[in-house]
Amino acid sequence: MPAVLPVLTTHPCIKKRPEPIIRAADLPYPCSLVFNAGVIKYRGEYVMIFRNDYGTTQTLYETENVKFAGTSIGIARSKNGVDGWVFDPAPLVDSGVASGDPELQRYYDPRITQIDGKLYLCLATDTRHGLCGTIAALSEDLRSFRVISSSAPDNRNMVLFPEKIGGEFIRLERPMPIYSRHNEKFDIWISRSPDLVYWGRTKLLLGTERVPWVNDKIGPTASPIKTDRGWLTLFHAVDRDDARGKNGWEKTWKKRYSTGLMLLDPEDPSKVLAVYDQPLMAPDLPVETDEGFRQNVIFPCGMVCEPSGEVKIYYGASDTCVCLATAQLDDLLDLVTE
Ligand code: BMA
């Protein structure tokens, strides 16, 4: 990593597995990059829903400018949430296959949440007229989904809380206001809904200025975890250095994605109780800093809290593979409580 970027380190309470848990070669269908995966425990298994960009290789991309042919969303299951992942034979949805909707270009960065026994997806969505966030119901057999609502652009980065609060569904979101927030100073907002269709009472939750190591944007990641001290919530945090050159397949990649931690009020999650003032996780494994499509990117979309108090954090590394980190819930809470 060029010296101009300040060194960011992962907090010692985080234990990263040194090797990815899923790589492109593991998939039973064409895959160039597999990353940004949501995970939940469902019916005795861990269900992972991941993003797959396909249709090129590093060599073709760099030498012949062959771009990705499409993005699909795929599903894998495991008994222990760590290894032995079994992949569905075909993706849940593939942008290379006509959807019948001429506006829709692709879905990506899936988050999966269970609320009152039902499964929901939040999907970043590229359309011909902007970037939207889609909320969809996933069928019990995990084979199909039904779109419930879609946001106005540009607002593609959403995650649902795993239960209603005060009788309402709650989502975190990250609109992208380019006229008023120059240089991608994009922030995290919170909205409520009676039915997942109509969203409102939107409030700023966390501005980038409250995250000391960030000079660019922040955004939601995995569904928050309910604890007796509040909603434990990760967010992605981006710093940018325009002096950076080639850091992956592209000619330049100037951003670094790390992970922050905050605690939200248990009854009113629009109140931030605390923000840990340093990164919880930073890109520092070789697979995160020296390899892959976009180096220095870690992007969690899944977090599972075990009865033992172990928290599993699933994250995309270098937009290339899926990695797993673990921490103890009490250690995480200590970072955001007195
Ligand atoms: C964001 C999203 C993520 C990606 C990240 C880094 O804007 O597109 O899917 O992981 O950039 O490239």
Side-chain angles (χ1 to χ4, degrees):
M1 184 190 299
V4 282
L5 278 174
V7 172
L8 298 180
T9 51
T10 297
H11 191 277
C13 78
I14 295 282
K15 306 292 174 220
K16 288 182 177 175
R17 291 179 74 86
E19 295 299 325
I21 57 168
I22 309 273
R23 291 181 184 271
D26 299 332
L27 270 67
Y29 40 85
C31 175
S32 310
L33 312 170
V34 53
F35 58 111
N36 297 0
V39 178
I40 55 163
K41 267 169 122 170
Y42 179 65
R43 297 187 174 172
E45 299 183 303
Y46 293 77
V47 172
M48 175 187 289
I49 176 151
F50 55 79
R51 163 180 178 173
N52 162 27
D53 290 10
Y54 60 88
T56 192
T57 63
Q58 180 168 6
T59 306
L60 288 172
Y61 194 96
E62 289 179 333
T63 60
E64 295 179 39
N65 200 25
V66 178
K67 301 293 186 204
F68 296 96
T71 297
S72 67
I73 301 293
I75 294 187
R77 304 157 208 233
S78 156
K79 294 282 176 228
N80 61 12
V82 178
D83 51 22
W85 293 95
V86 176
F87 294 84
D88 281 9
L92 174 70
V93 57
D94 184 343
S95 64
V97 176
S99 67
D101 177 354
E103 276 298 307
L104 179 62
Q105 294 181 309
R106 63 172 182 158
Y107 295 119
Y108 52 105
D109 296 353
R111 278 81 160 180
I112 181 168
T113 309
Q114 190 170 13
I115 310 173
D116 294 338
K118 297 201 175 107
L119 297 176
Y120 298 99
L121 299 178
C122 293
L123 299 162
T125 307
D126 290 355
T127 79
R128 290 192 200 288
H129 290 84
L131 310 178
C132 304
T134 297
I135 295 177
L138 182 63
S139 62
E140 283 185 19
D141 62 4
L142 311 171
R143 292 193 195 284
S144 61
F145 68 97
R146 175 181 60 82
V147 173
I148 298 173
S149 57
S150 191
S151 72
D154 275 344
N155 186 358
R156 66 175 170 187
N157 217 319
M158 292 175 181
V159 71
L160 291 166
F161 280 66
E163 63 182 60
K164 290 182 181 175
I165 302 169
E168 293 173 305
F169 295 97
I170 312 280
R171 78 180 182 197
L172 302 181
E173 56 195 317
R174 208 283 307 285
M176 291 176 267
I178 55 163
Y179 283 110
S180 54
R181 301 286 285 150
H182 302 288
N183 297 320
E184 294 200 346
K185 285 275 190 313
F186 302 153
D187 316 288
I188 300 177
W189 294 67
I190 187 165
S191 294
R192 298 164 195 263
S193 171
D195 55 8
L196 295 168
V197 177
Y198 298 99
W199 289 92
R201 292 171 56 217
T202 302
K203 272 179 68 178
L204 177 67
L205 181 76
L206 188 73
T208 54
E209 66 281 1
R210 293 185 66 183
V211 186
W213 71 94
V214 161
N215 65 7
D216 200 276
K217 58 190 171 182
I218 56 175
T221 61
S223 285
I225 289 176
K226 188 180 191 180
T227 77
D228 53 9
R229 289 188 245 176
W231 291 97
L232 192 72
T233 307
L234 301 177
F235 56 90
H236 69 257
V238 183
D239 67 310
R240 177 191 180 110
D241 182 345
D242 286 336
R244 293 185 76 207
K246 192 163 171 62
N247 289 279
W249 300 11
E250 295 164 306
K251 289 197 180 70
T252 62
W253 173 242
K254 300 172 190 298
K255 295 177 194 170
R256 172 171 56 183
Y257 280 64
S258 55
T259 305
L261 180 71
M262 61 180 163
L263 189 70
L264 308 180
D265 186 277
E267 271 93 47
D268 179 2
S270 70
K271 291 184 187 149
V272 178
L273 299 180
V275 183
Y276 180 51
D277 64 359
Q278 292 170 53
L280 176 68
M281 301 195 332
D284 44 19
L285 292 178
V287 74
E288 298 162 4
T289 55
D290 303 336
E291 298 169 21
F293 177 60
R294 286 180 170 172
Q295 292 161 11
N296 295 299
V297 173
I298 58 173
F299 198 93
C301 287
M303 185 161 60
V304 172
C305 187
E306 305 290 1
S308 66
E310 182 193 71
V311 177
K312 292 186 168 75
I313 300 171
Y314 296 86
Y315 63 100
S318 298
D319 284 0
T320 298
C321 52
V322 180
C323 287
L324 172 62
T326 56
Q328 291 304 312
L329 181 62
D330 287 346
D331 292 341
L332 296 175
L333 284 171
D334 283 350
L335 299 177
V336 281
T337 44
E338 294 290 302

